[in-house]
Amino acid sequence: MHRRAMLLGYMITQTGTLFNRGLLRSLIPAGINPLSAYRISSRLCSTDSEEENLDPTQRLVRSVLSPTPKTGRKWISETDVQKLCSYYRGSSFEQRLSFLQGLAKEGALDHGSVLQAARNLLAAQDKGEAAIIHAESRLSQRLTPNYRDVFTFISKLSGGVKFLVDLRADLLDHLASNSSDHNLKALNATLMEMLSHWFSAGFLNLERVTWQSSCEMLEKVSAIEAVHPIRSWTDIKHRVGPYRRCFVFTHNSMPEEPVMVLHCALMMDIPESIQTIVQFQSRRLSVSPDVMLNGEDHTQANAGIFYSISAAQKGLRGIDLGNFLIKSVVKEVRKEFPEITVFSTLSPIPGFRDWLLSTINQHMRDPSDKELFFQEELEKIRAAQDSNLEGLPLIKELLSTNTWVLSEELKDALKQPLMRLCARYLLVEKRRGYVLNPVANFHLKNGATVWRLNWLGDSSQRGLSASCGVMVNYKYNLDQTSTHGKNYIVSKKVPASSQVMLLTKPTGHGSAGISSKL
C-alpha cells in the first residue's frame, strides 16, 4: 500500500495539472490521503536536487542524522562521527554556529510524531497494561531528539566527552546572541542533561594539587583562577604551599583537565580580608622549623577557609558541582586535621556596587519611601568631600570612580551606610524568592550562613569595583548545613548571624565592633 502511494504520488507530481483537475485522484487507493501521497513523492523527487544544493555543513549533519525508514532512528557510523568532530574542530566561529543550527534543526523532535504517539497512549488506556507500556515506550522514543544518539556516540570516542563540553561552551556563546532560537535552546537542554549525568559526583575524582603536581596542572589552575588572579610562579607556589590546600575535581574521560578548583587556607580564625590570609601564611613560615610538622604546625590551624572556588569548564555551566566539591574537601581536611571543626568562606560580593549604582539612579528618578541614605549620613559624607555635588549625585560619583578609598574621612563616612546596604543586598533583595547575589545563592543552597560582612576586605581596584571593597564570610556549621540548605531551597529562608541582621536595621550603627572570633 505504501509503495503504491509513493508511485502514484510520483506520477501526480509529474502531472500536476492533471492532479489539480482531479483526473488522477481515482487512482489513489482508499485509505491514502492524496496530500500525503503528494508530500511523499515530493520528498523523493527532490532528494537528489536538494543534496546537490546543500553546503558541506548541511551534508555532514544530514549524513549523521538521516533516520532509517523502519525505526526512524539513524544507524551511526564511527567514520561519520569522526568526520563530524574533525570538521567542527577546524571550523570558524560562523561555521560552528551554522553547524549547531543545522544540527538543532535537522535533529529536532518531529512534533507530528510526538502528538500521534500521545494520542496512541490515550487510546491505549482501555487496552490493558501491556498496551499502555508499549505506547509509553513509543512516546518516549518520539520525545528523544536524534542528535542525542550522536552525542552518545561521540562520548564513547577518545576525547569525546571533552569535545562535547567544549561544544556546549560554544553553544552557550551562540545562545547569548541568538536567545530566540528555540531549536538551539532545545539542543542545549539535551546536552546539558547528558553532561549532568556524566559529571555526577560518583564519576568525579578529588585531587590535591601541590608543588609536585605536573606543570600542566599548575598552569591550568593558575589560568582558571577567577577570584584572586595568580600572577606568577611564586604566587602559585604559595597557593599550594604550607597552610594552603588546593583541590580539583577531574573526570576519567578528561585526564589532566580540572573541572572545578577550590582553594582553602588553614588558619586560626575566620579572616576579615584576603590580606589576612597572606599575612598568616607569611608569619607561620617564619617560625623555626623545629616546631613544624611537614612544614606546618598543626596547632596553628583551627579553621578551614574557602577563599576561592572557580569553575574550569564553561561547557559545564549550570551543572551543580561546587556543593559536592566543598563537602569532599571538608572530609579531606578533617581527615588530615581532625581538630578543625570550623569551615567558612571569605567571599567576594560581585554585583553589589552595580546594584547600588542602579538603585541610586532609580531613586534619583523616582524617590521611594525606602531611604537609601539617612540625612545624617549624607551630611557626614558631604563634610568629608570638597565638591560642588551633594546627596546621591555625590555618592554616585564617589562610588563610580573609587576615589573615596583615598580619603580616611570618606572611608569613615561611607562605612556605615555601605555596610547596611550590602547587608540589605545579600539578605533582602530577591529574584523569584531567592537572594539576588549568585555567590550568596550558591552558598546558601549548600547550607551556609551569612555570618559576617568585612569592611574593605578586598581594597584592590577589582574588589572596589565589584563590591566597594566589602567581603563576606559564609560559615558552614557542619551539623546545620542540611537543615539550612533545605529551609533556603524550600522555604526561601536566609540564615544569617545576629551581627549581619543588625546591619540591616536603621539602628545598626555598631558594625565596627563585629568580632572575628570563631
Side-chain angles (χ1 to χ4, degrees):
M1 183 73 73
H2 186 61
R3 290 180 180 177
R4 291 179 64 189
M6 289 193 294
L7 177 61
L8 290 171
Y10 177 78
M11 295 170 59
I12 291 167
T13 58
Q14 302 306 306
T15 54
T17 303
L18 293 176
F19 181 80
N20 290 334
R21 293 176 181 175
L23 299 179
L24 292 179
R25 291 177 185 267
S26 59
L27 296 177
I28 300 176
I32 297 295
N33 187 312
L35 183 58
S36 297
Y38 182 82
R39 287 174 176 169
I40 292 172
S41 63
S42 296
R43 286 198 297 269
L44 290 172
C45 297
S46 63
T47 297
D48 292 338
S49 60
E50 281 185 6
E51 287 294 332
E52 293 175 0
N53 295 327
L54 292 177
D55 63 30
T57 301
Q58 293 171 316
R59 285 199 196 101
L60 187 60
V61 169
R62 288 207 175 173
S63 71
V64 176
L65 289 177
S66 299
T68 56
K70 284 187 177 181
T71 64
R73 314 296 295 175
K74 169 69 178 176
W75 181 84
I76 302 173
S77 74
E78 184 172 347
T79 302
D80 285 341
V81 175
Q82 291 280 17
K83 190 185 301 182
L84 180 153
C85 294
S86 297
Y87 169 82
Y88 189 85
R89 289 191 183 101
S91 299
S92 66
F93 182 85
E94 291 74 17
Q95 288 172 326
R96 290 185 176 190
L97 174 59
S98 177
F99 171 83
L100 290 171
Q101 288 176 327
L103 185 67
K105 183 177 180 180
E106 295 290 336
L109 296 177
D110 182 338
H111 301 304
S113 297
V114 172
L115 288 173
Q116 184 57 52
R119 294 189 188 101
N120 293 341
L121 176 58
L122 290 174
Q125 298 304 303
D126 300 327
K127 298 179 181 180
E129 187 176 1
I132 293 174
I133 293 175
H134 178 71
E136 288 173 341
S137 177
R138 295 300 296 272
L139 177 58
S140 177
Q141 291 177 11
R142 295 294 180 263
L143 287 171
T144 303
N146 283 336
Y147 44 66
R148 188 183 183 96
D149 294 340
V150 179
F151 292 154
T152 300
F153 200 105
I154 292 175
S155 72
K156 298 174 183 178
L157 301 177
S158 176
V161 172
K162 174 60 175 169
F163 175 86
L164 291 174
V165 171
D166 292 341
L167 184 144
R168 183 166 182 259
D170 293 339
L171 183 55
L172 291 173
D173 287 338
H174 294 311
L175 279 172
S177 56
N178 297 273
S179 58
S180 60
D181 191 324
H182 298 293
N183 285 328
L184 276 184
K185 286 182 178 179
L187 180 71
N188 176 54
T190 297
L191 184 52
M192 178 180 172
E193 179 195 3
M194 297 178 76
L195 289 172
S196 67
H197 290 304
W198 296 334
F199 284 84
S200 61
F203 297 134
L204 297 173
N205 306 310
L206 181 69
E207 298 181 17
R208 180 183 169 188
V209 179
T210 69
W211 189 240
Q212 284 69 45
S213 298
S214 68
C215 289
E216 183 181 10
M217 177 61 78
L218 290 169
E219 287 177 344
K220 288 179 178 178
V221 167
S222 299
I224 290 163
E225 176 56 39
V227 182
H228 305 291
I230 296 174
R231 298 179 174 85
S232 66
W233 281 104
T234 301
D235 199 357
I236 185 62
K237 188 174 184 179
H238 286 156
R239 303 282 182 104
V240 299
Y243 298 100
R244 301 287 185 90
R245 294 294 183 272
C246 176
F247 291 94
V248 298
F249 262 157
T250 60
H251 193 280
N252 289 336
S253 296
M254 296 166 48
E256 287 296 309
E257 282 287 343
V259 173
M260 183 162 274
V261 184
L262 186 146
H263 291 272
C264 178
L266 307 177
M267 304 188 67
M268 288 295 291
D269 297 315
I270 297 178
E272 298 177 347
S273 69
I274 191 63
Q275 291 82 7
T276 306
I277 293 178
V278 175
Q279 291 166 2
F280 177 82
Q281 185 185 43
S282 299
R283 285 197 306 270
R284 297 315 312 163
L285 292 180
S286 66
V287 174
S288 176
D290 60 351
V291 299
M292 306 288 281
L293 177 62
N294 296 325
E296 295 169 335
D297 181 356
H298 281 216
T299 65
Q300 298 299 308
N302 294 335
I305 308 301
F306 310 128
Y307 64 93
S308 174
I309 182 167
S310 303
Q313 305 292 331
K314 183 177 179 180
L316 298 178
R317 181 190 297 171
I319 299 173
D320 184 12
L321 302 174
N323 180 24
F324 300 111
L325 180 56
I326 288 176
K327 290 178 179 178
S328 299
V329 169
V330 167
K331 291 179 181 178
E332 287 299 308
V333 171
R334 294 199 70 184
K335 192 184 301 181
E336 187 179 3
F337 295 86
E339 62 276 13
I340 291 182
T341 57
V342 174
F343 290 91
S344 174
T345 75
L346 178 64
S347 301
I349 312 173
F352 167 56
R353 192 186 74 157
D354 290 344
W355 168 82
L356 182 54
L357 290 173
S358 175
T359 305
I360 288 174
N361 286 333
Q362 182 180 359
H363 196 86
M364 289 169 63
R365 291 192 302 268
D366 181 23
S368 63
D369 295 332
K370 201 168 189 178
E371 290 185 283
L372 289 178
F373 295 84
F374 300 116
Q375 188 59 39
E376 60 271 20
E377 294 171 342
L378 294 174
E379 292 173 357
K380 189 174 181 180
I381 295 169
R382 177 68 181 87
Q385 174 68 14
D386 184 16
S387 172
N388 294 327
L389 297 174
E390 61 180 20
L392 292 181
L394 172 60
I395 295 175
K396 178 182 175 181
E397 179 182 274
L398 292 173
L399 297 181
S400 299
T401 60
N402 294 333
T403 54
W404 59 273
V405 78
L406 302 175
S407 167
E408 292 299 326
E409 290 81 4
L410 278 174
K411 286 193 289 187
D412 180 63
L414 284 167
K415 179 177 182 179
Q416 177 179 299
L418 289 185
M419 292 285 275
R420 183 185 70 253
L421 290 168
C422 189
R424 166 182 160 183
Y425 172 67
L426 291 177
L427 303 184
V428 180
E429 297 298 321
K430 304 284 185 70
R431 179 188 291 119
R432 297 176 182 174
Y434 297 108
V435 296
L436 194 61
N437 184 264
V439 178
N441 193 52
F442 167 78
H443 288 293
L444 291 171
K445 284 184 176 180
N446 292 343
T449 298
V450 184
W451 189 68
R452 185 180 63 201
L453 295 185
N454 302 297
W455 176 244
L456 293 181
D458 183 0
S459 56
S460 67
Q461 284 299 312
R462 182 189 181 99
L464 292 170
S465 298
S467 60
C468 301
V470 183
M471 298 191 79
V472 58
N473 300 119
Y474 298 105
K475 190 176 181 182
Y476 282 83
N477 298 307
L478 301 182
D479 58 340
Q480 298 177 332
T481 53
S482 296
T483 301
H484 286 166
K486 178 182 177 181
N487 288 341
Y488 178 68
I489 293 171
V490 176
S491 304
K492 301 181 174 65
K493 294 180 180 178
V494 180
S497 67
S498 57
Q499 57 187 341
V500 175
M501 293 296 295
L502 183 63
L503 290 173
T504 64
K505 303 180 183 303
T507 56
H509 304 323
S511 58
I514 293 176
S515 171
S516 64
K517 299 300 181 183
L518 297 183

